Amino acid sequence: AAALERVRARRAPPAADVLATLATRARRHVSVAECGRILLVPVAEVRYLRAELKYVTARTAAREYVLDESLVQIEQEFPRSFLRLHRNCLVALAAVAGVERAAERDGQKEAEPRWEVLLRDLPERLPVSRRQWPAVRQALGL
């Protein structure tokens, strides 16, 4: 404790502008607790996030990770990186390859067209809710 106090006394406190910059900077990683360790997953590698029951799954090109954060928290922290497609799904804007009308189900046409987001390096298609479709169209410039 005495050694730490001597270091604190010699060291100048950080400048206010440095603290302000650090406080407003967005995280570049999300943390994942897995098998007794904590992994740092770069936000730029996350293709989409999906909430299922009480867990949020982050999908990268390589694999899936289970997060301890909510979709709302992530959406609020990274509004320029992720777009809400559905109440349970956010997609990384950089991962969107396009949108496509969903296939008919059981040979029946639906009253309203449904849309799915196509991803650049994954075969999955993410459904877009009717409620979110206008915001998705606007965000993607369609």
Side-chain angles (χ1 to χ4, degrees), residues 51-95:
E52 296 173 14
L53 299 173
K54 60 181 182 176
Y55 299 103
V56 171
T57 303
R59 179 72 160 102
T60 66
R63 60 175 282 215
E64 291 184 346
Y65 300 91
V66 177
L67 305 179
D68 289 329
E69 300 179 65
S70 72
L71 284 182
V72 172
Q73 289 172 319
I74 295 170
E75 183 179 30
Q76 289 173 349
E77 187 173 352
F78 303 101
R80 293 183 181 160
S81 299
F82 294 99
L83 174 64
R84 185 167 291 273
L85 299 180
H86 200 277
R87 66 181 171 82
N88 71 345
C89 187
L90 299 175
V91 67
L93 286 167

Side-chain angles (χ1 to χ4, degrees), residues 46-48 81 91-98 117-122:
V46 175
R47 302 302 187 252
Y48 66 86
S81 299
V91 67
L93 286 167
V96 175
V117 168
L118 307 173
L119 302 170
R120 292 194 191 286
D121 51 2
L122 293 172

Side-chain angles (χ1 to χ4, degrees), residues 109-113:
K109 288 188 175 182
E110 295 184 21
E112 289 186 48

